[in-house]
Amino acid sequence: MPYTPPQRLKFSAGFDNLIGVSARFQEVVEKLPLFAKCDATILISGETGTGKEICSRAIHDHSARANGPFVPVNCGAIPAELVENELFGHERAAFTSATSSHLGLIHEAEGGTLFLDEIDSLPPTSQVKLLRFLQEKEYKPLGSNRTHSADVRLIAASNTDLEDAVRQGRLRQDFYFRLNVLPLTLPPLRERLSDIPLLARRFLSTFATKLHRCVPLLLPKAESALMNYSWPGNVRELEHVIERAAILAEARGEISEQEIILPGANTAQPSSFQHAKARVLAEFERSYIESLLLTYHGNISHAARAAGKNRRAFWQLMRKHQIDANRFRVAAPDTSN
């Protein structure tokens, strides 16, 4: 069977690294060109491995800042006492060991995009200073009395519930509100089952090129094993599993279930065709209904009409998948800034 390149959404032209046809993923990709056109702060939420940095890079690459730098920073990897120094820099003699001045990451991102992952890891004092920067586009390096201005767009990300972090006092409420101008939530891989084969084949193509081999065929039982796993590590975990499979397959030209090595505690036996079909159909139904409710802002009658169903039948589908229309009755984010 010849290799078929992964499908992409019609409206995602240019967003080559974003692969998926599921309704949940389409909702995300549809927003990216609009977000790329403006300069407002973006807050990306999603579990570890869902592709937050990839989305950030895509937004940057298709924005007016594309020729500027993209500077990714993992806030959780910076010791609390060094965060402000890393972000804002320092002047010579600002502290005992400061024998020379240091330009921070904000300066490094001048004219481009600063991506701050694990934003909830920032200590409170750093949140205050970064809040001022977001509001005024101004900052002071440590030990300096002079205010610096910067032309930088900020994209923040977190794999935790930031509203819960606010309630717990770990995140300032005013800081959260300032970050949450354009929210974007990436779905976990277990909620976009139909994208797994597409992603797997893309990764196989990538690793085959690196290994100087022809792209191997993903056999049905191998694909079934992928579809029946819960993917706690999301797309990143799938990529690692496929890389291992491509190496183990050597030059045989195919990937069998023996090459798909998954943690035993979470691995299910390959399901029957009927069971696998039922899972994919259930995921499609839920995603399709949620997509319509999002489009019509929670109006069940309008969503049912668009689906070609009467209101009662549509409501029964909502109840089947435990979908609450109230979640979609919110105003769309203001993107005029």
Side-chain angles (χ1 to χ4, degrees):
M1 181 182 297
Y3 170 70
T4 303
Q7 302 174 37
R8 291 189 183 84
L9 304 176
K10 291 184 293 184
F11 47 74
S12 64
F15 292 89
D16 293 340
N17 291 325
L18 304 175
I19 298 170
V21 294
S22 63
R24 291 290 306 278
F25 192 67
Q26 289 181 24
E27 291 172 14
V28 172
V29 180
E30 283 178 331
K31 296 176 182 177
L32 298 187
L34 179 62
F35 285 14
K37 289 179 182 178
C38 69
D39 235 9
T41 303
I42 298 173
L43 178 59
I44 304 179
S45 303
E47 296 178 7
T48 298
T50 49
K52 296 185 287 294
E53 184 173 338
I54 290 175
C55 274
S56 299
R57 286 184 182 274
I59 291 169
H60 169 80
D61 290 343
H62 293 82
S63 73
R65 297 178 175 275
N67 292 328
F70 177 85
V71 180
V73 183
N74 187 330
C75 298
I78 306 175
E81 65 273 14
L82 297 180
V83 169
E84 292 176 32
N85 182 48
E86 289 295 309
L87 289 177
F88 307 116
H90 66 254
E91 297 291 347
R92 183 174 178 273
F95 43 87
T96 305
S97 60
T99 57
S100 62
S101 61
H102 167 70
L103 299 174
L105 293 167
I106 289 178
H107 182 274
E108 185 179 334
E110 175 67 28
T113 303
L114 180 64
F115 172 62
L116 298 181
D117 199 5
E118 297 188 29
I119 192 72
D120 51 298
S121 298
L122 290 178
T125 54
S126 300
Q127 294 177 31
V128 172
K129 293 187 177 181
L130 191 57
L131 174 61
R132 175 175 173 78
F133 170 72
L134 289 172
Q135 292 171 337
E136 309 295 339
K137 295 297 183 183
E138 295 179 344
Y139 68 99
K140 288 183 179 180
L142 297 179
S144 175
N145 293 320
R146 188 163 63 93
T147 299
H148 295 243
S149 60
D151 176 23
V152 174
R153 188 199 196 160
L154 181 69
I155 301 179
S158 176
N159 59 13
T160 63
D161 185 340
L162 292 187
E163 291 186 359
D164 189 50
V166 171
R167 287 190 291 270
Q168 294 177 10
R170 293 188 293 109
L171 196 73
R172 291 176 57 98
Q173 187 177 57
D174 51 356
F175 183 53
Y176 169 66
F177 288 153
R178 193 62 187 82
L179 291 173
N180 197 33
V181 179
L182 295 177
L184 194 67
T185 301
L186 301 185
L189 190 55
R190 63 183 174 275
E191 294 182 7
R192 39 182 299 215
L193 293 176
S194 55
D195 295 339
I196 291 175
L198 304 179
L199 288 163
R201 289 180 173 85
R202 158 55 80 90
F203 293 145
L204 279 176
S205 177
T206 299
F207 294 126
T209 300
K210 290 181 179 179
L211 295 169
H212 305 290
R213 300 173 187 166
C214 293
V215 179
L217 175 66
L218 187 66
L219 296 179
K221 287 187 177 180
E223 184 172 313
S224 178
L226 297 177
M227 295 289 285
N228 283 281
Y229 181 62
S230 60
W231 298 109
N234 293 294
V235 178
R236 185 181 302 154
E237 183 182 13
L238 174 62
E239 182 178 11
H240 295 164
V241 167
I242 294 300
E243 180 179 18
R244 180 166 56 228
I247 293 171
L248 293 176
E250 297 183 324
R252 290 208 327 270
E254 60 184 29
I255 302 291
S256 70
E257 69 270 30
Q258 279 74 34
E259 284 79 48
I260 303 298
I261 301 174
L262 301 166
N266 295 318
T267 305
Q269 292 297 318
S271 60
S272 67
F273 173 80
Q274 290 298 330
H275 180 66
K277 180 180 178 181
R279 287 186 65 209
V280 173
L281 284 176
E283 188 269 344
F284 166 76
E285 281 186 359
R286 183 180 63 251
S287 297
Y288 179 72
I289 293 166
E290 289 181 340
S291 178
L292 286 176
L293 289 171
L294 183 69
T295 300
Y296 293 101
H297 305 292
N299 188 307
I300 298 175
S301 297
H302 291 174
R305 190 176 302 117
K309 289 184 171 291
N310 62 51
R311 194 180 190 280
R312 179 175 176 79
F314 191 82
W315 180 82
Q316 288 176 337
L317 282 173
M318 289 173 55
R319 186 172 66 172
K320 172 184 173 183
H321 295 287
Q322 298 181 330
I323 298 172
D324 182 5
N326 290 323
R327 289 196 295 119
F328 304 92
R329 291 175 182 145
V330 294
D334 182 5
T335 58
S336 60
N337 292 334

